[in-house]
Amino acid sequence: MTNKPYDLIIFDWDGTLIDSVGRIVSSMRAAAELAELPVPSEDAVKGIIGLSLPAVYEILFPGAHPEQLDALKQQYRTAFVETDPTPTPLFDGARETLDWLKDSGFVLAVATGKARYGLERAWKEVALDQFFHTSRCSDEAEGKPHPQMVLDILKETDTPAQRALVVGDTGFDMEMAKRANVDRLAATYGAHDLADLLAHEPLDQLHDIQHLPQWLKTRP
């Protein structure tokens, strides 16, 4: 693609490229019950998607004992990886979109609330790691909405902020990008309500990952 509007596109993972919101919700609720913690509502769990686990604990389980949180962490990992049958497919057209972006000369990256082991495992499951130049996880930088993940990726790829775009489905993604002075595109098909996304002034709304190439073609 000639005259690209950006050089670098930074994707969130869960709810943006992979349809994992359902499993995150069911796994977290099951883990809370097994750890003998109050079981959060589905909406409450959706509201924390994208955050690092310490931030999740503070919001969903304030005042919980460290032993309970350790048990929750183990139960959640077991549920998400091994026992929860909720499917976590790529969104339709995600792989084709990444193919087009890479072939068009965009540098691609991921900024995720997952820990490194979780992202690496997910990449292996769907064989997408070859598309991304770099990535940042919640155990490698300050968690969202802090801008460090984006700033680290900008530095590593030697990309000016005005030449980068963040694509994400949560208000945390939008705020992270805004605090890094990077353009942001709100994926409306993921975890957070449209109002949460619009509060951080995204450039536009993306209703389907397959529409990203056409959107980029219309940018000046």
Side-chain angles (χ1 to χ4, degrees):
M1 181 179 178
T2 58
N3 300 318
K4 301 191 306 294
Y6 303 100
D7 298 316
L8 169 67
I9 300 180
I10 304 172
F11 288 97
D12 170 56
W13 183 255
D14 292 297
T16 301
L17 291 173
I18 191 165
D19 188 5
S20 53
V21 171
R23 187 185 291 185
I24 291 171
V25 170
S26 55
S27 295
M28 183 61 72
R29 298 185 78 222
E33 184 173 5
L34 290 169
E36 299 183 344
L37 287 163
V39 178
S41 68
E42 292 185 13
D43 285 344
V45 180
K46 286 182 180 180
I48 55 80
I49 290 175
L51 295 177
S52 62
L53 276 179
V56 169
Y57 297 157
E58 290 181 11
I59 294 171
L60 294 184
F61 310 105
H65 296 298
E67 295 83 2
Q68 289 177 298
L69 296 177
D70 286 342
L72 175 79
K73 181 178 180 180
Q74 294 304 317
Q75 294 291 354
Y76 176 74
R77 182 183 299 183
T78 298
F80 192 88
V81 175
E82 300 177 14
T83 62
D84 193 315
T86 309
T88 57
L90 288 172
F91 283 108
D92 288 344
R95 187 181 301 276
E96 292 79 6
T97 296
L98 293 173
D99 267 326
W100 182 87
L101 292 170
K102 192 168 184 178
D103 289 346
S104 299
F106 292 92
V107 175
L108 307 180
V110 168
T112 177
K114 284 186 178 299
R116 172 57 58 183
Y117 79 88
L119 181 62
E120 295 289 347
R121 177 192 54 75
W123 272 356
K124 289 178 182 177
E125 286 184 354
V126 296
L128 285 189
D129 55 316
Q130 74 272 16
F131 288 104
F132 300 107
H133 178 86
T134 190
S135 57
R136 284 296 182 280
C137 299
S138 62
D139 53 349
E140 300 167 339
E142 292 285 345
K144 302 174 185 180
H146 194 284
Q148 185 184 355
M149 290 189 196
V150 171
L151 295 174
D152 284 353
I153 291 170
L154 293 176
K155 182 176 181 180
E156 181 177 341
T157 60
D158 194 25
T159 304
Q162 65 270 22
R163 296 296 301 167
L165 174 73
V166 167
V167 182
D169 70 306
T170 73
F172 308 125
D173 298 315
M174 299 297 98
E175 184 178 349
M176 173 182 67
K178 186 175 183 179
R179 291 169 67 178
N181 295 314
V182 168
D183 283 352
R184 47 217 172 269
L185 184 59
T188 63
Y189 50 84
H192 282 192
D193 292 337
L194 181 59
D196 295 328
L197 298 167
L198 296 181
H200 303 285
E201 302 173 309
L203 280 179
D204 206 345
Q205 302 168 35
L206 183 68
H207 302 302
D208 188 319
I209 189 65
Q210 299 177 90
H211 298 165
L212 181 56
Q214 185 59 41
W215 185 86
L216 288 166
K217 291 175 185 177
T218 65
R219 295 294 299 167

